[in-house]
Amino acid sequence: MKTFGADSLFLAPEYLGNVNSFSSAIVGMSVGMFIMSWNISSFILFSRHFRFLSATSNPFLKYCINNAIIPGIFLIFYFIKAYQFDHTKELISTTEILFLFGGFTAGLILILAASFIYFFRADISILRRMMPVINNPQSYITHFNPIKEVYHGAPLIRVESYFDSFFRIKPTRDVSHYTDEFVASIFKRHHFAAILSVFAAFIFLVLIGFLLDNAFFQLPAAASITIFFSILIGVAGAITYFLQSWSIPYLIGLVLLLNIFYQLDWIDPRNKAYGLNYWNKTERPSYSREGLLALCTKENIEADRQNMIGILNKWKKNQDNERPMLVLVNTSGGGHRSATFTMSILQQLDSMTNGTIMKKIFLINGASGGMIGATYFRELFRQRQMGKDINLQDKQYVDDIAGDLLNPLFTSFFARDLISPAQKFSIGPYKYVKDRGYAFEQKLGSNTRGLLDKQLKDYVADEKEANIPLMFFNSVVTRDSRKMIISTQPVRFMMQSRVDTNYIPSADPDAIDFVSFFAKQDPYNIRVLTALRMNATFPVVLPNVWLPSDPVIDVMDAGLRDNYGQESTLRFISSFDDWIKQNTSGVLIIQIRDRTAGGWEAPYLSDDLSDHVTKPFLLLQHNWFKMMEYSQSDLLSYYTMHSGYNVYKVAFQYAADKEENKAALNFHLTRREEKDIMNSIHSASNQQNLEKTLNLFARRLAPDSAQKPISPARIW
C-alpha cells in the first residue's frame, strides 16, 4: 500500500493533527501488541516442540526472550526507515526525531512490561493450581507409572541451550520423564491466558470503532492497522489450535455461510450514496439499453439544452464584454497532490485577475482529487459572494485541502468495517451504515471547515443563476464503464455523442445523467461530500458506491474513464456550437493536471526476468492514463479543426523539482511534498501560461469577426 501513502502512516504517525512523541507512543504500543500477539500465537502452536520449557519458571517469558531476534531486527529496520522518512519527507529535525523515537520506545516498553506482568501473574496462578499435581510425582513422572512406550514426536529443531534471561544461557533440561499429559496441562493453562489477552485487544478495537466519531479516539491509522493484524494473528492461532485439521474447512464454511446471508439480504456490506433513497424498491430505474434510450429522447435532450442555454445567457450578462471568452476548467485526478495543486493554481489565477476568475469560469469538470480542490475553492468564492470575510488567496485554504485523510480512513476500515457491529447515521429521513466512506467524508468536511457539508440541492439556485461556475461530478459504472454525471442541472444532452444520423448511426448512451435517472430516488438530497467521494473512489482504499437501479450498479473513480476531464468538456461545448459562435470570442480550456504531458513520465521498465513475465498483465494498467491522454489529444484536434471558432487550451502541470520529492498518489502529503507542489506553480512553464491566460482575457474581438475564417486550437 506504499503507492497510497500507507508507509507515511507508520513512519510519521499523526494524532489529533500532529506528528509528535505522543502519536509515536501510540504506534509503539500497537507494535508491542503485535509482537506479543505473534509470540502468543506461535507459543500456542509450537510450544509442544519445546518441552523443556515446562520445567522452567515463567515458560512464556523464556519463549519470548529466545524469540526476540526477528522483532529486534524489525525495530532496527523501522527506526532507520523512520529517520530517513521524517528527515527527508517531513523535514523534521534530528532532535525532534529523537523525541519521536523516545515516544515510540516508551509505548513499546509499556505494552511489553504490562504483558509480562500479566503473564507473570498468570504463571503464579498456574503454579498454585498445579501444586497438587507437582506434590504427587506419580501423576507426572513416567517411570512411576506402569511401563509403556512413550513417544513424544520429533521436535522442530534440536535445542541444547537457551537464553534463561537476556544475558544468561542455560542448557536445556531433559524432561523426557514427564508424561505428555503433565506437559500439555502446563502449556494449556498458558494458552488460555494468552487467548484472553488477544480477546482483550479485540474488545479494545471494537470500542474504538464505536467511539470513532470523537477525534480523541481516532488513533493513528498505523496503530489501528497493527492492532487489527495483532488480532488476526491471535485469532488464526486460536482457530488452528482448537480446530486443528478442521480449521480450513471451518473457514471455507464460514465464507459460504456469509455469502448465503448476503444473498438473502440479511447482511449488506455495500456502501451507499448518502442522501439517496434506497428504500423505494418498486420505482427503481431500469439500467438497460431501453431504459437509457428512453431517458435521452430528442425532446428531453432539447429541453435540457434550452435550460443550459438560459444559464449560459445569464453567465454572459455577468461578463464585462459583449463577446466574452467561454472559460472551462478541467482538473485531473491525483489525490491530494492534484487537490493541492488545483487549489494553488486557482488562487494564483484569482490573484492575477483581481478576483474575477470565478466569474469568467462557466464549468468545472474533472476527476478525483482535482475536483475536491476545485469544489472547495468554489465554495469559498460562494461564501465571499454571500458577504463572508474570505481572502481567497490565503494559504490556510491550501493547508486545509492538503490535510490528511488517510488516518480516519484506515482506522475506520480496520476498527469499524471489519471489527465493530454496524452503526448508523441519518441524512434526512434515510439511515446509512458508518464505514470508511463515512469516515472519509467526515474528515474531508472537517478539513474544509464544514463548508462542503452540504447537499446538491443547496447549489441549484446559484448555478441556475450563473452566480457560481457549474460543476460535473463524474464517476464510472463498473458494470460497463459508462460515465455517471452528477450535476444540479439536468444534462441529458451529455448522455450521447452528438452526430448527424443522416450519415452516421446514433450511438447508444455512454453516460448517465444522475438527477434524471434517479428522479424518484431523491437525487438532490445527495451530499456534496458523497458526490466528491464517488468522483474520487480509489480502488480498495475507498468502497465502491452502489446505486439503487434495476439491476443494481456500483461506481468508481472518474479517472478510470476521463482522468483529465477533457472528454466531457468537448462533449459539452459541441452541444452548444451555435450559441458559442454567436455569443463568445471563443473557448478557453484551462487544464490543471498532476503530471506532465506527453507520456514521458514513469516509463514501463523491464529490468529483470520477472518484469518480462508480468509485463503482459500490467502493461495496460501502467499506461492507462497515457493512452487516455493520446486519445483525448486526438479528440481535441479533430474537434477544433471543424468547430468554426477559436478554441484555446492552457495546461498547468505539476512537475517535481526532483524525482525523489514528487508527491505520491494518495490522500496524504508530507511537508516536503506540499512544499514541492507549491513551488511548482512558479516553474517557468506555469508562469508563462499564467501570462498567456491573462493575455487571452485582455483580447477584444471585432463585432464582425464571427464571420471570418477561424484558425484551429492554440494549445500551450
Side-chain angles (χ1 to χ4, degrees):
M1 300 295 287
K2 181 178 179 179
T3 304
F4 299 111
D7 58 340
S8 64
L9 302 178
F10 284 85
L11 302 176
E14 185 176 305
Y15 179 62
L16 296 178
N18 297 305
V19 177
N20 51 34
S21 56
F22 188 65
S23 63
S24 296
I26 296 174
V27 176
M29 294 170 67
S30 70
V31 171
M33 293 177 66
F34 181 84
I35 291 172
M36 292 308 300
S37 179
W38 178 67
N39 278 317
I40 288 168
S41 298
S42 57
F43 180 75
I44 290 173
L45 296 176
F46 302 113
S47 57
R48 68 182 185 275
H49 294 285
F50 307 104
R51 293 169 56 86
F52 66 89
L53 289 175
S54 63
T56 65
S57 60
N58 302 317
F60 181 69
L61 175 61
K62 302 292 191 301
Y63 180 83
C64 292
I65 292 173
N66 287 272
N67 216 26
I69 293 177
I70 294 178
I73 293 174
F74 162 74
L75 291 174
I76 294 172
F77 174 79
Y78 173 82
F79 285 132
I80 292 173
K81 297 295 287 186
Y83 178 83
Q84 293 172 344
F85 185 89
D86 293 343
H87 190 65
T88 60
K89 294 289 188 180
E90 290 290 350
L91 307 179
I92 300 175
S93 67
T94 301
T95 302
E96 291 177 297
I97 292 175
L98 291 177
F99 276 103
L100 296 180
F101 287 0
F104 182 95
T105 305
L108 177 71
I109 292 174
L110 176 64
I111 288 296
L112 295 181
S115 300
F116 287 133
I117 291 172
Y118 165 76
F119 281 103
F120 178 74
R121 291 173 60 87
D123 279 339
I124 296 176
S125 176
I126 291 169
L127 181 63
R128 188 181 299 117
R129 290 196 296 270
M130 291 295 295
M131 282 306 297
V133 178
I134 295 174
N135 291 332
N136 181 18
Q138 292 183 352
S139 64
Y140 66 92
I141 303 297
T142 56
H143 59 261
F144 286 159
N145 293 323
I147 297 175
K148 63 179 181 179
E149 183 179 357
V150 178
Y151 178 71
H152 300 306
L156 280 176
I157 57 175
R158 181 179 177 181
V159 183
E160 295 182 352
S161 57
Y162 67 100
F163 280 95
D164 186 57
S165 67
F166 283 107
F167 306 103
R168 185 174 63 178
I169 297 178
K170 289 181 64 174
T172 59
R173 180 179 174 183
D174 182 16
V175 293
S176 60
H177 56 290
Y178 286 177
T179 63
D180 286 344
E181 291 78 8
F182 176 73
V183 173
S185 64
I186 292 178
F187 284 146
K188 281 182 179 179
R189 285 172 169 79
H190 283 87
H191 296 167
F192 181 73
I195 291 171
L196 284 180
S197 65
V198 174
F199 181 72
F202 174 81
I203 295 299
F204 173 77
L205 208 55
V206 169
L207 292 175
I208 290 296
F210 275 105
L211 302 171
L212 202 55
D213 285 342
N214 189 316
F216 180 80
F217 295 99
Q218 292 176 5
L219 300 181
S224 301
I225 294 170
T226 309
I227 293 171
F228 172 76
F229 283 137
S230 303
I231 296 170
L232 202 62
I233 288 178
V235 171
I239 289 175
T240 305
Y241 175 74
F242 286 114
L243 299 179
Q244 300 295 325
S245 60
W246 283 96
S247 57
I248 299 299
Y250 168 79
L251 291 175
I252 294 174
L254 180 62
V255 171
L256 293 175
L257 184 63
L258 291 174
N259 188 56
I260 292 173
F261 289 168
Y262 174 75
Q263 292 176 345
L264 294 174
D265 207 19
W266 292 357
I267 59 174
D268 187 2
R270 297 174 296 186
N271 179 269
K272 297 181 174 68
Y274 306 141
L276 205 59
N277 182 358
Y278 286 78
W279 293 267
N280 183 13
K281 296 183 179 181
T282 59
E283 295 182 295
R284 287 185 173 179
S286 171
Y287 190 83
S288 62
R289 182 174 186 270
E290 294 73 22
L292 297 185
L293 287 174
L295 196 64
C296 56
T297 61
K298 289 183 179 180
E299 294 75 18
N300 289 340
I301 290 174
E302 186 58 27
D304 291 355
R305 284 188 71 256
Q306 291 304 317
N307 175 70
M308 190 60 67
I309 287 174
I311 300 173
L312 284 165
N313 288 328
K314 292 175 182 176
W315 168 84
K316 182 183 175 183
K317 288 180 181 178
N318 294 334
Q319 306 306 306
D320 57 0
N321 185 1
E322 290 184 2
R323 297 181 65 80
M325 184 84 70
L326 181 64
V327 183
L328 309 170
V329 172
N330 293 342
T331 178
S332 78
H336 260 27
R337 73 185 184 197
S338 186
T340 306
F341 186 63
T342 298
M343 171 66 76
S344 302
I345 289 293
L346 289 175
Q347 283 189 332
Q348 193 78 2
L349 286 169
D350 186 75
S351 174
M352 296 183 72
T353 59
N354 297 318
T356 63
I357 186 62
M358 292 301 281
K359 290 183 179 180
K360 297 178 183 295
I361 297 171
F362 180 78
L363 172 67
I364 300 176
N365 173 58
S368 197
M371 285 297 291
I372 294 176
T375 303
Y376 187 38
F377 189 84
R378 185 184 75 156
E379 179 56 30
L380 291 170
F381 170 76
R382 178 172 174 264
Q383 292 294 320
R384 192 178 67 177
Q385 295 287 91
M386 295 166 61
K388 301 290 179 64
D389 183 17
I390 289 178
N391 176 13
L392 289 179
Q393 289 93 48
D394 198 322
K395 186 182 178 296
Q396 65 177 332
Y397 302 127
V398 178
D399 295 334
D400 290 346
I401 210 66
D404 174 73
L405 293 175
L406 282 185
N407 260 291
L409 199 156
F410 275 100
T411 300
S412 178
F413 178 63
F414 290 103
R416 187 177 271 160
D417 295 23
L418 299 178
I419 296 292
S420 297
Q423 306 162 56
K424 295 189 176 183
F425 71 103
S426 297
I427 300 291
Y430 313 123
K431 289 187 176 181
Y432 309 90
V433 174
K434 295 179 180 180
D435 59 7
R436 66 188 188 278
Y438 169 81
F440 175 87
E441 292 185 22
Q442 292 300 99
K443 183 60 175 176
L444 179 58
S446 173
N447 287 354
T448 52
R449 306 167 187 264
L451 296 179
L452 296 184
D453 190 10
K454 293 179 172 58
Q455 293 163 284
L456 196 64
K457 59 188 176 185
D458 296 325
Y459 291 97
V460 173
D462 278 329
E463 290 194 10
K464 182 82 171 178
E465 296 301 316
N467 294 327
I468 57 176
L470 267 74
M471 276 193 165
F472 288 167
F473 300 104
N474 304 303
S475 53
V476 177
V477 179
T478 61
R479 183 184 183 92
D480 48 28
S481 294
R482 282 182 168 83
K483 188 181 299 184
M484 182 70 69
I485 303 175
I486 300 178
S487 171
T488 62
Q489 307 302 314
V491 288
R492 285 169 288 192
F493 56 84
M494 292 289 294
M495 292 180 61
Q496 290 174 295
S497 299
R498 193 179 179 195
V499 297
D500 187 343
T501 55
N502 292 320
Y503 302 96
I504 301 174
S506 61
D508 284 356
D510 65 346
I512 304 103
D513 174 20
F514 178 85
V515 296
S516 299
F517 187 65
F518 292 106
K520 297 182 179 179
Q521 277 67 42
D522 206 357
Y524 288 100
N525 198 52
I526 191 173
R527 296 178 82 187
V528 171
L529 289 166
T530 298
L532 285 170
R533 178 166 60 87
M534 293 166 65
N535 190 273
T537 302
F538 278 26
V540 180
V541 176
L542 284 169
N544 289 9
V545 176
W546 77 277
L547 299 171
S549 58
D550 183 22
V552 165
I553 56 173
D554 64 296
V555 295
M556 288 182 65
D557 198 296
L560 293 173
R561 169 78 180 267
D562 185 10
N563 193 57
Y564 305 107
Q566 189 163 288
E567 180 185 275
S568 295
T569 292
L570 290 177
R571 182 170 295 186
F572 179 85
I573 60 177
S574 70
S575 299
F576 301 99
D577 280 339
D578 294 338
W579 187 91
I580 293 172
K581 291 175 187 177
Q582 296 170 10
N583 294 276
T584 74
S585 60
V587 172
L588 171 60
I589 300 174
I590 299 177
Q591 187 178 61
I592 307 173
R593 46 187 299 150
D594 72 321
R595 63 194 75 202
T596 55
W600 298 106
E601 191 176 78
Y604 197 121
L605 302 176
S606 301
D607 295 330
D608 52 49
L609 185 61
S610 63
D611 289 333
H612 290 286
V613 175
T614 58
K615 192 172 185 177
F617 305 101
L618 302 179
L619 183 63
L620 180 63
Q621 174 186 334
H622 186 86
N623 291 319
W624 188 264
F625 293 137
K626 297 178 183 179
M627 292 187 292
M628 191 184 299
E629 180 183 341
Y630 305 150
S631 174
Q632 293 189 359
S633 295
D634 274 347
L635 287 175
L636 181 60
S637 298
Y638 297 151
Y639 175 75
T640 55
M641 289 296 291
H642 305 91
S643 62
Y645 52 84
N646 283 319
V647 178
Y648 302 89
K649 178 181 174 182
V650 178
F652 297 98
Q653 304 174 103
Y654 163 57
D657 57 352
K658 297 179 182 178
E659 187 62 29
E660 59 269 21
N661 293 339
K662 185 174 181 179
L665 180 62
N666 56 56
F667 288 122
H668 177 90
L669 290 178
T670 65
R671 292 181 184 177
R672 181 174 290 280
E673 289 172 343
E674 183 178 351
K675 183 178 179 181
D676 184 65
I677 292 170
M678 297 293 294
N679 288 338
S680 71
I681 301 170
H682 306 292
S683 68
S685 62
N686 285 333
Q687 287 300 306
Q688 289 173 6
N689 286 330
L690 285 169
E691 290 296 329
K692 290 172 182 176
T693 304
L694 291 182
N695 291 336
L696 287 171
F697 288 152
R699 292 186 180 183
R700 293 293 186 268
L701 201 64
D704 61 342
S705 61
Q707 308 301 320
K708 296 179 181 180
I710 301 296
S711 58
R714 281 84 164 172
I715 301 174
W716 293 293

